[in-house]
Amino acid sequence: MSMGGGITGGGAAGPGSTPGNAAHGHPPMQSQSPLAGRPAPHLRPVGGPEGGGLGGGGLGGGLGETMRGPSGLRHDPLNSPLGGGFGGGLGAQRGQPSADTELPRFTMTVNGGLRGPGAVGAPAMLKGLTPELNGLLREAFTPTRPKQQLNSLFIGRTDTLKRIISAIEEERAHVILFGDRGRGKTSVANAIEKIAGQAGYLSLKLTCSAELSFEDIFRHFLKKIPSTYYRSGIDNPFASRRSFTSFNELLPEGGFSVTELNEVLAGIHATHVLLILDEYDRVTDEDFRNKLAELFKNLTDSSIPVTLLVVGVAENLDQLLGKHPSIQRSLVPVHLPLMTDVEIGRLINAGAENAGIAFAPEAVDRICEFVRGLPYYAQLLGLHAARSAVSRGSTVVERDDLAYAVTRCLQEAERGIVDSYARALAAERRAELEDVLLACALCPADAYGTFDPKELAGPGGAPPTKEALGILERLCREEYGGVLAPVVEPGWTRYRFRNQMMRQYVLMRQAHERGQI
């Protein structure tokens, strides 16, 4: 496939989204900002006249080397004739404080629970990258661990929190929170745990693993429910009272059935128990999944004051829970979307404020365009860029700091992503494959990362060639990395990156190798 013309991202006039395919009833695509690459006559430029470019430079040296442009000299992104590859002029719109910054709350308390958001102060800026400041930056930017506090660092998930709270409080339904890695599901679960606790719920959370059985997990939960919540003698004042410490003691020795567990939970009164099972995708035992499905149904049918919030990596309910049609009416599925550019900007600027530093608007723009709505990479780029700025004695993060952060992110990428990327491009036509893979990463996508191959069309809106579509099909095959996954619908096939973090890796890797950050 011969390539000419430029691969560009959509010229983003603002943080909103571009219209989706209304004829097919699909959600609107996320707005994309310009990023140009090698010539590609068969790929329609996705975007406006800003263009920009990842162009020039060819395939640079190793990832640990200094960023270099096509001349071999150190590339100065601020004064480069290559232009602002990832720029989009969104600095004036991203990262601005929202008038609605208050987190949603449960409106009714359970048993007189207390309310009130936490707060974290921001110590004054220290000079140099001291251990204290390094710790402060890690608190402000937390890519490797979920958010624990309800404060200004918890950004962009208000609608999701409202939906979960509504399902628990108003619909009395169990909730399944799912989505790709890196979207912040555990942070949302932590927020729900704390918000529910403020409303008086007895909120308990456990991280699943393949080693833990159904009995292990629910014994763990019942040990945390004190006997003070037992309905002893309420219905029959002449019944003898049992002396015990926790609800676990009400279960029989050894194994127990779902029915026996349900009967024990039926003894709960004077509170509402919220049980959160995080990383449920780690559970591979089919018996476990069947028992959980039975428990969902039993709890709903018995109107017991116990709600389950199950959190896991998946693209649909069947992947996480298996096929159990009978429990669908008991569940509210919540598919966690990617964040918008505005939310990513607010996340970066909130972290900077808490650390006592600032990000140049252009650096925020570039981070938004690299991360494409994934908060994990926003935190990681923010952390490394902030460290770079502080280590050179500055309180403002600039584009040069971002270049360092990109290099660090590439060095720290998951081995599975690096291997898949290498297999995807292992062919004589590497340059063509790189162009198509980059075009896929730049393609406008919906809130869940799915894109339409029609957006890769050539000049004048012509549909993509058979050769280009063939490359997309090749990228779906395991022997070529399995980078993409087809989303098949009647008469229509769209695509998504199998691992959403691959999209960000492609953007950063190609920007690095082509000498344009």
Side-chain angles (χ1 to χ4, degrees):
M1 183 167 74
S2 148
M3 299 279 177
I7 302 177
T8 62
S17 58
T18 56
N21 193 325
H24 293 277
H26 292 284
M29 297 294 187
Q30 287 185 330
S31 174
Q32 305 295 313
S33 297
L35 176 66
R38 294 191 184 88
H42 301 297
L43 301 180
R44 176 174 59 84
V46 183
E50 297 104 306
L54 243 180
L59 301 176
L63 296 180
E65 297 178 3
T66 304
M67 300 293 293
R68 297 182 182 276
S71 65
L73 299 175
R74 189 184 188 284
H75 177 52
D76 179 0
L78 291 172
N79 300 300
S80 171
L82 296 175
F86 282 81
L90 296 179
Q93 301 176 51
R94 292 180 181 144
Q96 299 302 319
S98 169
D100 182 18
T101 57
E102 180 69 19
L103 287 172
R105 303 281 165 185
F106 286 90
T107 57
M108 297 173 285
T109 61
V110 177
N111 197 26
L114 299 177
R115 309 178 189 213
V120 172
M125 177 66 185
L126 302 175
K127 291 184 178 181
L129 192 57
T130 63
E132 294 80 10
L133 182 53
N134 192 42
L136 188 60
L137 292 175
R138 277 206 166 277
E139 287 300 314
F141 300 100
T142 58
T144 58
R145 57 187 175 86
K147 294 296 182 191
Q148 302 290 341
Q149 302 296 326
L150 298 177
N151 54 35
S152 62
L153 299 181
F154 197 91
I155 300 290
R157 293 309 188 194
T158 302
D159 289 343
T160 299
L161 292 174
K162 286 179 178 177
R163 182 66 191 102
I164 295 173
I165 290 171
S166 173
I168 296 171
E169 184 177 47
E170 299 173 15
E171 303 168 49
R172 293 302 185 191
H174 306 288
V175 180
I176 310 297
L177 176 64
F178 62 99
D180 284 306
R181 288 181 175 83
R183 293 193 188 178
K185 296 181 298 299
T186 297
S187 293
V188 170
N190 289 344
I192 290 294
E193 180 185 11
K194 288 179 170 58
I195 295 170
Q198 292 167 356
Y201 285 67
L202 178 58
S203 187
L204 306 172
K205 180 171 173 284
L206 178 68
T207 300
C208 298
S209 73
E211 292 75 29
L212 294 176
S213 67
F214 180 87
E215 290 77 12
D216 292 335
I217 285 179
F218 282 93
R219 280 196 183 277
H220 171 87
F221 279 138
L222 292 182
K223 287 177 183 177
K224 301 288 184 68
I225 305 176
S227 59
T228 52
Y229 291 121
Y230 185 56
R231 192 188 292 276
S232 174
I234 295 295
D235 298 324
N236 182 4
F238 300 102
S240 61
R241 292 177 177 268
R242 296 185 57 176
S243 177
F244 63 97
T245 303
S246 72
F247 272 61
N248 177 57
E249 297 170 41
L250 300 177
L251 287 172
E253 295 287 337
F256 56 85
S257 68
V258 175
T259 300
E260 289 171 321
L261 174 60
N262 195 74
E263 289 174 351
V264 169
L265 294 175
I268 293 174
H269 83 116
T271 191
H272 191 114
V273 178
L274 175 63
L275 304 179
I276 302 174
L277 280 71
D278 194 16
E279 299 192 28
Y280 184 69
D281 52 285
R282 292 184 178 182
V283 174
T284 57
D285 182 21
E286 192 61 30
D287 182 61
F288 190 135
R289 297 193 175 203
N290 290 334
K291 287 180 177 178
L292 186 66
E294 184 181 348
L295 181 61
F296 278 131
K297 189 175 186 304
N298 288 356
L299 290 175
T300 301
D301 292 345
S302 306
S303 299
I304 293 173
V306 174
T307 298
L308 294 173
L309 169 58
V310 177
V311 184
V313 176
E315 275 305 301
N316 55 62
L317 284 184
D318 288 349
Q319 286 182 7
L320 203 58
L321 298 177
K323 295 185 181 297
H324 295 282
S326 62
I327 66 171
Q328 295 295 327
R329 63 181 178 85
S330 309
L331 305 176
V332 170
V334 178
H335 193 174
L336 191 63
L338 295 165
M339 296 176 73
T340 65
D341 285 346
V342 170
E343 291 166 342
I344 291 293
R346 287 177 54 209
L347 184 69
I348 293 297
N349 286 327
E353 182 179 352
N354 276 263
I357 61 175
F359 277 68
E362 186 179 26
V364 176
D365 286 349
R366 298 301 176 90
I367 290 175
C368 290
E369 304 193 22
F370 276 128
V371 306
R372 304 286 166 157
L374 203 64
Y376 168 80
Y377 270 121
Q379 299 277 8
L380 193 58
L381 284 170
L383 174 63
H384 288 314
R387 282 174 167 172
S388 173
V390 171
S391 66
R392 62 181 176 82
S394 175
T395 60
V396 179
V397 177
E398 305 285 356
R399 281 180 59 180
D400 281 345
D401 302 308
L402 181 56
Y404 165 80
V406 167
T407 301
R408 286 295 304 271
C409 285
L410 292 173
Q411 292 171 340
E412 297 170 10
E414 293 178 8
R415 176 50 52 190
I417 290 179
V418 177
D419 290 345
S420 294
Y421 181 88
R423 291 203 308 274
L425 302 181
E428 293 180 358
R429 300 183 302 164
R430 180 185 176 99
E432 292 176 291
L433 294 172
E434 281 183 333
D435 284 337
V436 174
L437 188 58
L438 176 58
C440 291
L442 289 167
C443 194
D446 64 18
Y448 304 101
T450 302
F451 64 91
D452 185 348
K454 293 187 179 75
E455 297 291 336
L456 304 178
T465 64
K466 289 183 179 180
E467 190 173 14
L469 293 176
I471 291 178
L472 295 183
E473 293 175 2
R474 168 198 166 105
L475 292 173
C476 294
R477 288 151 57 183
E478 194 61 37
E479 62 266 33
Y480 296 112
V483 173
L484 300 180
V487 180
V488 180
E489 301 172 12
W492 194 30
T493 299
R494 296 186 296 158
Y495 294 88
R496 59 183 298 276
F497 282 90
R498 195 178 301 273
N499 182 337
Q500 285 294 299
M501 290 187 180
M502 175 64 79
R503 187 184 190 193
Q504 289 74 22
Y505 180 81
V506 169
L507 291 171
M508 290 188 290
R509 177 77 179 257
Q510 287 295 303
H512 177 95
E513 292 187 351
R514 299 179 185 217
Q516 182 66 53
I517 298 296

